[in-house]
């Protein structure tokens, strides 16, 4: 199989996407050897949204339309996630994903004015900015995973993830567990967030597909934030660290570690919200984004 994922167990647009959030805004683009699922809506300055590991465009289901009232919003499914085809296993790394997204942006001739990344999506945007792929006026990290894990998990998790990602049986076992609604509910609660039943349904719909699970495990296995951290001081666009105070996936204390590397980064706390803050209170977070866009002079260009 040459290190590629088998895609016959991937979500199918005609069935799994039949009632996908914001389906009318969806289209498919071929770029860099991948078939991308992309959503675009609204008018105004361009905002690029990158979701986190294990998610897809459904995570922006209410957030993106709220932003689209003032912006052109572009949101792809990352490689191997949702309805986008997968990269080879070894390219599911931070540089590999950054390069793939850059290929998509070049194909659609997009130079985003503002970029917003959730969790691992924030790290991809930082990497893209450092590599000169994007030059936004501001970079917003929503509960961003930008610093390497500390202590014992750092020595255990990545090797374990590498083994699991390389074993298709493991992905199938994880996917089979998704048939248990309670297991998916526990997974969502473990982030410190509370979602409406429809939101849980969408995660369950994706997790039951082994290809989506393998992409999630592959990102975890290949994610090297230790190489990113020393470069944070070179980041040029203003960095806003929006953190949910109840986030148990990327604890709010991690923002302090980022500021040690980049003192100019601004921390904005969201009381009562967890890792999926933009799904819990999309209108509130979208309003915050508008305020930040105004601060970097973007709304004046609207």
């Amino acid at each position: 199989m040459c290190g590629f994922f088998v895609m016959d167990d991937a979500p199918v647009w005609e069935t799994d996407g039949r009632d996908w959030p914001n389906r009318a805004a969806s289209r498919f683009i071929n770029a860099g050897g991948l078939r991308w699922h992309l959503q675009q809506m609204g008018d105004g300055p361009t905002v690029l949204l990158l979701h986190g590991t294990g998610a897809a465009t459904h995570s922006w289901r209410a957030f993106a339309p709220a932003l689209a009232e003032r912006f052109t919003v572009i949101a792809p499914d990352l490689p191997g996630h949702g309805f986008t085809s997968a990269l080879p296993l070894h390219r599911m790394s931070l540089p590999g994903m950054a390069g793939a997204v850059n290929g998509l942006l070049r194909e659609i001739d997009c130079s985003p004015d503002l970029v917003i990344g959730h969790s691992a999506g924030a790290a991809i945007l930082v990497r893209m900015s450092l590599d000169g792929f994007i030059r936004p006026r501001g970079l917003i990290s929503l509960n961003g995973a930008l610093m390497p894990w500390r202590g014992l998990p750092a020595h255990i998790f990545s090797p374990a993830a590498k083994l699991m990602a390389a074993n298709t049986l493991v992905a199938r076992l994880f996917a089979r567990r998704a048939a248990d609604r309670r297991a998916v509910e526990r997974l969502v609660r473990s982030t410190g967030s509370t979602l409406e039943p429809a939101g849980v349904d969408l995660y369950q719909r994706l997790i039951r597909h082994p290809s989506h699970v393998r992409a999630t495990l592959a990102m975890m296995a290949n994610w090297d934030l230790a190489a990113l951290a020393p470069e944070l001081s070179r980041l040029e666009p203003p960095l806003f660290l929006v953190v949910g105070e109840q986030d148990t996936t990327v604890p709010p204390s991690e923002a302090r570690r980022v500021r040690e590397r980049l003192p100019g980064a601004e921390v904005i706390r969201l009381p009562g919200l967890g890792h999926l803050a933009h799904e819990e209170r999309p209108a509130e977070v979208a309003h915050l984004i508008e305020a930040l866009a105004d601060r970097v002079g973007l709304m004046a260009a609207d």
Side-chain angles (χ1 to χ4, degrees):
M1 295 192 303
C2 301
F4 283 85
F5 298 137
V6 179
M7 293 303 289
D8 58 357
D9 54 10
V12 177
W13 183 245
E14 290 73 19
T15 53
D16 297 288
R18 65 192 180 280
D19 56 351
W20 197 249
N22 305 309
R23 180 186 168 100
S26 290
R27 58 182 171 135
F28 287 85
I29 301 290
N30 293 317
L34 300 179
R35 184 174 184 259
W36 293 81
H37 172 237
L38 173 76
Q39 293 192 328
Q40 181 171 336
M41 63 188 79
D43 189 33
T46 302
V47 176
L48 173 66
L49 305 180
L50 292 189
H51 64 76
T53 310
T57 46
H58 76 280
S59 69
W60 311 115
R61 58 192 174 278
F63 180 73
L67 283 183
E69 295 178 6
R70 301 295 300 275
F71 304 98
T72 298
V73 177
I74 294 178
D77 285 342
L78 290 175
H81 291 66
F83 301 96
T84 294
S85 57
L87 289 165
L89 182 63
H90 70 279
R91 288 184 59 200
M92 295 292 284
S93 61
L94 184 50
M97 297 288 264
V101 175
N102 179 52
L104 172 64
L105 295 184
R106 289 172 63 87
E107 178 66 27
I108 64 175
D109 193 25
C110 173
S111 299
D113 301 297
L114 184 71
V115 294
I116 305 170
H118 174 242
S119 195
I124 295 173
L125 292 172
V126 169
R127 183 72 269 164
M128 293 179 69
S129 182
L130 290 171
D131 291 344
F133 294 153
I134 54 175
R135 292 178 174 81
R137 295 199 190 188
L139 195 161
I140 300 173
S141 162
L142 298 178
N143 292 316
L146 302 179
M147 298 296 292
W149 285 7
R150 293 179 286 188
L152 189 60
H155 298 285
I156 294 177
F157 186 77
S158 182
K162 288 181 186 296
L163 289 173
M164 290 189 289
N167 189 328
T168 57
L169 177 60
V170 171
R172 293 189 180 278
L173 290 174
F174 269 89
R176 188 174 301 171
R177 285 205 66 198
D180 181 355
R181 168 78 176 200
R182 292 170 299 179
V184 180
E185 290 173 341
R186 287 193 297 270
L187 180 63
V188 171
R189 285 198 304 270
S190 72
T191 68
S193 288
T194 301
L195 296 186
E196 80 285 9
V200 178
D201 289 344
L202 290 162
Y203 278 103
Q204 184 176 24
R205 188 184 303 184
L206 292 178
I207 296 171
R208 69 184 180 86
H209 289 283
S211 68
H212 184 84
V213 175
R214 282 200 299 274
T216 301
L217 292 172
M219 281 185 70
M220 293 177 178
N222 290 288
W223 225 237
D224 183 11
L225 293 176
L228 182 69
E231 296 189 69
L232 287 174
S233 61
R234 295 199 297 109
L235 190 65
E236 292 185 0
L239 175 62
F240 300 96
L241 302 167
V242 180
V243 298
E245 290 188 348
Q246 304 302 316
D247 188 351
T248 52
T249 301
V250 180
S253 59
E254 292 299 285
R256 291 198 297 269
R257 297 178 64 202
V258 174
R259 291 199 65 199
E260 290 174 1
R261 302 278 186 172
L262 186 63
E266 181 177 341
V267 179
I268 302 167
R269 304 175 75 88
L270 300 174
L273 298 180
H275 192 61
L276 306 175
H278 60 291
E279 297 188 54
E280 294 181 276
R281 296 185 197 163
E284 177 182 327
V285 179
H287 183 70
L288 169 63
I289 299 304
E290 284 194 20
L292 295 177
D294 187 43
R295 286 180 51 185
V296 298
L298 193 55
M299 302 308 289
D302 190 353

